C-alpha cells in the first residue's frame, strides 16, 4: 500500500504502569477508551532518560599456577579456572567519564561455566606483558559482584557502581569458584574486548498538551490482521462521519473485518456506531487506487476523489487504464447507503492527442456545496481533458529536466457532469492547488502555492495564496502572502461566519499583512501561519506560531463561532502559542491545535508522530474535534498505550472543545 513522504522510525514502547490496548484473538479488533487530560503524556511531567557510553579495557591478561613465570598478555582469551588455578586481570584508566549513575563491567563469554568467577578489586600497577602468577597483586576486599552459570557465546555484566565512582585507574581480578572455568574475550579480540559501560541519567520536562480544552472524550482503535492506512475523513451535519483508506486482506476501518485488500469506505453515526462499509478490491497486482479527499453532501451522499493506476472498477465498469507511476485521478459518488452512483476518471498526457505517456496527476482537496456538487483541486503535468476539451498545465510541465506542475480547480454537478474548470499554468516554478472549501452562497475558496505566469499573479516561486471564485467560476479576489523572503504554501482553508475565510500555511519570511509585518522563521524552516480574510478578501489578522525546528500544518476546520482547528507535524519541539510541546518519540511529532476567532491560542496537543501519522481532521456540530491517522507502533494516549493489531491500524481521537 502507498505511504506518504514523511519518514517513520521506532515508535514508543509500552510504559510500565500504564494500560495497554492491543489487538488479539479475532480477525479484527476495535478498542474504545476514555481518558482524562491529567493522565499519560497529555500534560507536562518530569521524565528521566538513560543513555550509555562505554570505555574499552586498557590492558588485560591472565596468570596460571602451573606456569608461574609465564605471561599471557598476548592471548585472545582471559581464563578464570579452579583446576588448574587461573585468574584473569583487567585494568581501566577512566578520565572523561563523570556524572554517571551506574557502571558495569561487560565481558563476552567464549566458553561458559556452571558457576562464573567472582569479581574483586585489585591494584592497577601492572602490565599484561609482565604480569605472572608469581608477581600478581592480591585482591582487595570482598567480591564486588558475582554471577551464576554462564553460557558460551553470551555476554555477562558485573555491576561495579560502588567501586568505579569517577576518574582514576581501576584494577580487577576474576577469581574462580569452580573447576570448570570460564574463558572471556580479551582486548586482542577487538570487537569483543572487555568494556566499562557507564549509564547517564537526564531529567527533562516533557509536555503533550498546553492550554485549556482539547481533553480526550474518547479514543478508538480500529484494525484487522493486516494493515489499515486511513487517508481521508468527512463529517456531516448530523455529527456522523466517513473515513476512507487502504486496507489489507481482512482489513477494517470499522464494521466486519472481512474485506479484501483494496480501498475501503466506512460510515459512522454521530454516536460512533458503524453504519456501513463499502470495499473496492484491487482487481490485480497492477491495480492501485488511493482516496485523497472526501465530502458528504447535504443529502447524505458521499463524494470521493483520488489517484489510481491500472483499471479499477467501482461498480460502473473499468476506468481507463494507466500504468504504474503514471497519472490518473478518479471521482466517485456513493449513495447515503454506500451504493456506487457514478464514477469518473481523467488522465494527463505529454501531448494534446494523448498518445504519449500519462503524466503526474494529483488530487489534493475535495469539497461540496448546497447543490451536492463535487469541487476538486490538485495539480498535473502536460494536458488533460475534464470533458470540454484539452487544457494545458504549461510548457514547463512537459520539459525533460525538472518539470513543474500546474494547478486545477473544477466543479462537477451532483450528476457528475463538469460545470467548469480552471487551470493555472505553471511558469518556471510549480503552481499547486492544495485545499478547497465552499461557503453558503456556493463561493469556492482555494489555497495552495503559486508560481509565475498565471492569473494568481505571483512573481516569485512558492508564493502562498488564497483565492475565491463564484459558484460559476468567476474570479472574486486573490490574496497572496508576499513580503521579504516569503516562501511556503497554504495547506488548509475554512469558511467562517459572514463569509469570512480562514487559512493555515507552512511558510517562512516576513509577510506584509493588514498594514504591518508578521515575521516567521528564517533560513528555510517554516512556521505555522494562521490567518483570516474578510468576505471581500481584505486582511483581518495573521499570526505565526512555532519554534525554530519547523511546523508543517496539513488541514484546517472551523466551528460555528469561527474558532479554527489545525493539525500536522512539527520537528522535535514547538510552541504553538500555549507553551512548549515536546512529547517522547522521534524527530517528527503529530499535533492538533485550536485557536479563537481572533487567532488566540486555545489549546494544543502533541503525540509521537513516528507512531501515528496524522491525516484525519473533522469537526462535530457541537464543536468537538476528530483527530487521527495511521497507528504503526505503540502510542500512549491518555494513559493507555495503543498497539496496532497488524502492521498498522486506524487511531481516532475525539477532543473536547
Amino acid at each position: 500500500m502507498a505511504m506518504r513522504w514523511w519518514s517513520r522510525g521506532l515508535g514508543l514502547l509500552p510504559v510500565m504502569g500504564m494500560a495497554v490496548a492491543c489487538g488479539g484473538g479475532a480477525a479484527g479488533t476495535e478498542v474504545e477508551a476514555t481518558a482524562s487530560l491529567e493522565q499519560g503524556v497529555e500534560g507536562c511531567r518530569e521524565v528521566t532518560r538513560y543513555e550509555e557510553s562505554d570505555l574499552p579495557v586498557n590492558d588485560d591478561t591472565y596468570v596460571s599456577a602451573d606456569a608461574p613465570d609465564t605471561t599471557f598478555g598476548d592471548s585472545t582469551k582471559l581464563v578464570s579456572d579452579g583446576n588448574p588455578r587461573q585468574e584473569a586481570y583487567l585494568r581501566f584508566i577512566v578520565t572523561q567519564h563523570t556524572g554517571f549513575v551506574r557502571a558495569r563491567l561487560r565481558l563476552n563469554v567464549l566458553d561458559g561455566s556452571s558457576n562464573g568467577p567472582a569479581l574483586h578489586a585489585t591494584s592497577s600497577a601492572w602490565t599484561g606483558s609482565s604480569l605472572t602468577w608469581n608477581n600478581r597483586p592480591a585482591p582487595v576486599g570482598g567480591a564486588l559482584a558475582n554471577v551464576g552459570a554462564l553460557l558460551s557465546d553470551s555476554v555477562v555484566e558485573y555491576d561495579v557502581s560502588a567501586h568505579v565512582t569517577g576518574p582514576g585507574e581501576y584494577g580487577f581480578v576474576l577469581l574462580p569458584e569452580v573447576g570448570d572455568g570460564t574463558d572471556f574475550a580479551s582486548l586482542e579480540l577487538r570487537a569483543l574486548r572487555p568494556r566499562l559501560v557507564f549509564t547517564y541519567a537526564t531529567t527533562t520536562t516533557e509536555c503533550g498538551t498546553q492550554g485549556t480544552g482539547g481533553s480526550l472524550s474518547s479514543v478508538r482503535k480500529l484494525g484487522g490482521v493486516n494493515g489499515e492506512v486511513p487517508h481521508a475523513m468527512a463529517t456531516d451535519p448530523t455529527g456522523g462521519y466517513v473515513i476512507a483508506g487502504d486496507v489489507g486482506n481482512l482489513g477494517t476501518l470499522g464494521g466486519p473485518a472481512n474485506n479484501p485488500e483494496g480501498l475501503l469506505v466506512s460510515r459512522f453515526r454521530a454516536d460512533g456506531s458503524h453504519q456501513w462499509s463499502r470495499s473496492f478490491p484491487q482487481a490485480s497486482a497492477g491495480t492501485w487506487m488511493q482516496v485523497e479527499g472526501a465530502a458528504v453532501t447535504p443529502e447524505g451522499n458521499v463524494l470521493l476523489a483520488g489517484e489510481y493506476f491500472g483499471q479499477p472498477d467501482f461498480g460502473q465498469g473499468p476506468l481507463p487504464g494507466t500504468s504504474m507511476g503514471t497519472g490518473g485521478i478518479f471521482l466517485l459518488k456513493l449513495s447515503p447507503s454506500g451504493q456506487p452512483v457514478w464514477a469518473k476518471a481523467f488522465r494527463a498526457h505529454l501531448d494534446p492527442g494523448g498518445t504519449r505517456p500519462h503524466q503526474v496527476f494529483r488530487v489534493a482537496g475535495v469539497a461540496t456545496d448546497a447543490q451536492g456538487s463535487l469541487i476538486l483541486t490538485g495539480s498535473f503535468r502536460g494536458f488533460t481533458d475534464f470533458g470540454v476539451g484539452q487544457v494545458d498545465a504549461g510548457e514547463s510541465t512537459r520539459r525533460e529536466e525538472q518539470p513543474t506542475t500546474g494547478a486545477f480547480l473544477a466543479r462537477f454537478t451532483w450528476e457528475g457532469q463538469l460545470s467548469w474548470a480552471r487551470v493555472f499554468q505553471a511558469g518556471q516554478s510549480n503552481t499547486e492547488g492544495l485545499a478547497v472549501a465552499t461557503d453558503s452562497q456556493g463561493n469556492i475558496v482555494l489555497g495552495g502555492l503559486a508560481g509565475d505566469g498565471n492569473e494568481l499573479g505571483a512573481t516569485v516561486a512558492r508564493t502562498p495564496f488564497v483565492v475565491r471564485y463564484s459558484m460559476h467560476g468567476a474570479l472574486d479576489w486573490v490574496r497572496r502572502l508576499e513580503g521579504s523572503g516569503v516562501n511556503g504554501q497554504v495547506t488548509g482553508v475554512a469558511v467562517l461566519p459572514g463569509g469570512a475565510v480562514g487559512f493555515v500555511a507552512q511558510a517562512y519570511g516576513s509577510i506584509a499583512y493588514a498594514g504591518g509585518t508578521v515575521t516567521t522563521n528564517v533560513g528555510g524552516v517554516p512556521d505555522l501561519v494562521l490567518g483570516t480574510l474578510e468576505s471581500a478578501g481584505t486582511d483581518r489578522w495573521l499570526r505565526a506560531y512555532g519554534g525554530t525546528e519547523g511546523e508543517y500544518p496539513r488541514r484546517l476546520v472551523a466551528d460555528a463561532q469561527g474558532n479554527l482547528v489545525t493539525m500536522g507535524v512539527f520537528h522535535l519541539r514547538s510552541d504553538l502559542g500555549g507553551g512548549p510541546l515536546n512529547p517522547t518519540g522521534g524527530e517528527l511529532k503529530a499535533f492538533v491545535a485550536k485557536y479563537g476567532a481572533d487567532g488566540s491560542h486555545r489549546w494544543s496537543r502533541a503525540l509521537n508522530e513516528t507512531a501515528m501519522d496524522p491525516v484525519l481532521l473533522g469537526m462535530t456540530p457541537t464543536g468537538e474535534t476528530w483527530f487521527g491517522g495511521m497507528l504503526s507502533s505503540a502510542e500512549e494516549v491518555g494513559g493507555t498505550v495503543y498497539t496496532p493489531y497488524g502492521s498498522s491500524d486506524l487511531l481516532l481521537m475525539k477532543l473536547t472543545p
Side-chain angles (χ1 to χ4, degrees), residues 327-383:
I329 65 171
F330 69 84
L331 314 181
L332 175 64
K333 180 178 180 178
L334 303 178
S335 72
S337 61
Q339 300 304 309
V341 178
W342 52 256
K344 302 282 183 180
F346 307 97
R347 297 173 294 174
H349 311 271
L350 277 176
D351 61 271
T355 59
R356 297 174 68 189
H358 310 125
Q359 286 297 293
V360 170
F361 213 158
R362 298 191 183 102
V363 171
V366 173
T368 190
D369 58 19
Q371 288 73 43
S373 308
L374 190 158
I375 294 95
L376 180 71
T377 191
S379 57
F380 71 106
R381 292 175 182 163
F383 297 87

Side-chain angles (χ1 to χ4, degrees), residues 113-133:
S113 169
S114 61
N115 186 12
L119 180 71
H120 291 255
T122 189
S123 169
S124 61
W126 54 265
T127 64
S129 61
S130 61
L131 191 67
T132 67
W133 178 266

Side-chain angles (χ1 to χ4, degrees), residues 349-496:
H349 311 271
L350 277 176
D351 61 271
T355 59
R356 297 174 68 189
H358 310 125
Q359 286 297 293
V360 170
F361 213 158
R362 298 191 183 102
V363 171
V366 173
T368 190
D369 58 19
Q371 288 73 43
S373 308
L374 190 158
I375 294 95
L376 180 71
T377 191
S379 57
F380 71 106
R381 292 175 182 163
F383 297 87
T384 192
D385 187 345
F386 289 109
V388 292
Q390 294 282 350
V391 289
D392 182 3
E395 183 178 352
S396 63
T397 71
R398 301 187 294 277
R399 61 194 182 197
E400 292 186 5
E401 294 186 4
Q402 296 182 330
T404 60
T405 56
F408 67 88
L409 175 65
R411 181 179 185 267
F412 295 83
T413 69
W414 65 277
E415 296 175 320
Q417 302 301 312
L418 180 70
S419 294
W420 52 264
R422 302 191 78 90
V423 172
F424 309 93
Q425 289 191 351
Q428 297 306 307
S429 60
N430 292 342
T431 295
E432 298 178 16
L434 298 175
V436 66
T438 62
D439 64 19
S440 60
Q441 304 302 310
N443 298 308
I444 299 169
V445 179
L446 172 67
L449 66 95
D452 57 304
N454 54 59
E455 71 179 21
L456 298 173
T459 57
V460 298
R462 299 190 62 81
T463 298
F465 75 87
V466 180
V467 63
R468 194 177 79 176
Y469 290 90
S470 74
M471 66 181 297
H472 303 294
L475 175 64
D476 285 342
W477 49 258
V478 58
R479 178 58 167 100
R480 299 174 299 276
L481 301 186
E482 297 171 312
S484 176
V486 177
N487 183 299
Q489 55 191 11
V490 171
T491 54
V493 291
V495 174
L496 307 178

Side-chain angles (χ1 to χ4, degrees), residues 81-383:
D81 199 340
N83 187 23
R85 182 78 179 189
Q86 295 169 305
E87 300 169 358
Y89 283 79
L90 306 97
R91 181 165 59 88
F92 291 87
I93 302 175
V94 178
T95 56
Q96 298 179 351
H97 291 276
T98 60
F100 51 86
V101 296
R102 189 182 179 198
R104 290 160 290 154
L105 173 63
R106 180 177 293 169
L107 300 171
N108 282 274
V109 181
L110 301 179
D111 184 24
S113 169
S114 61
N115 186 12
L119 180 71
H120 291 255
T122 189
S123 169
S124 61
W126 54 265
T127 64
S129 61
S130 61
L131 191 67
T132 67
W133 178 266
N134 287 332
N135 64 14
R136 75 192 192 280
V140 177
L144 298 175
N146 209 339
V147 294
L150 296 177
L151 297 176
S152 300
D153 299 318
S154 65
V155 177
V156 64
E157 291 184 342
Y158 292 84
D159 194 320
V160 294
S161 303
H163 181 64
V164 180
T165 57
E169 291 194 15
Y170 296 89
F172 299 100
V173 59
L174 289 159
L175 299 183
E177 296 185 330
V178 293
D180 61 328
T182 310
D183 294 353
F184 301 99
S186 78
L187 66 80
E188 303 298 325
L189 295 178
R190 186 175 180 84
L192 302 177
R193 59 188 167 175
R195 296 175 180 273
L196 279 179
V197 180
F198 301 94
T199 302
Y200 298 85
T202 302
T203 300
T204 59
T205 300
E206 295 186 347
C207 299
T209 290
Q210 297 286 1
T212 302
S215 58
L216 293 167
S217 58
S218 68
V219 183
R220 305 187 72 192
K221 183 180 77 71
L222 304 171
V225 295
N226 290 303
E228 287 78 22
V229 184
H231 289 296
M233 180 180 196
T235 58
D236 65 36
T238 70
Y241 56 94
V242 171
I243 294 176
D246 306 329
V247 298
N249 194 38
L250 302 180
T252 178
L253 295 173
N258 58 2
N259 303 289
E261 180 178 359
L263 172 63
L264 183 65
V265 185
S266 294
R267 187 160 190 170
F268 300 84
R269 300 178 183 90
D271 62 1
S273 61
H274 177 260
Q275 190 169 350
W276 53 257
S277 289
R278 178 75 183 185
S279 63
F280 300 95
Q282 293 183 180
S284 66
T287 299
W288 169 87
M289 54 260 185
Q290 179 171 299
V291 170
E292 295 292 354
V296 179
T297 72
E299 294 79 18
N301 297 294
V302 178
L303 304 175
L304 304 166
E307 300 155 19
Y308 80 96
F309 61 76
Q311 287 188 287
D313 189 339
F314 294 109
Q316 308 291 308
L319 300 183
T322 69
S323 59
M324 186 172 182
T326 62
I329 65 171
F330 69 84
L331 314 181
L332 175 64
K333 180 178 180 178
L334 303 178
S335 72
S337 61
Q339 300 304 309
V341 178
W342 52 256
K344 302 282 183 180
F346 307 97
R347 297 173 294 174
H349 311 271
L350 277 176
D351 61 271
T355 59
R356 297 174 68 189
H358 310 125
Q359 286 297 293
V360 170
F361 213 158
R362 298 191 183 102
V363 171
V366 173
T368 190
D369 58 19
Q371 288 73 43
S373 308
L374 190 158
I375 294 95
L376 180 71
T377 191
S379 57
F380 71 106
R381 292 175 182 163
F383 297 87

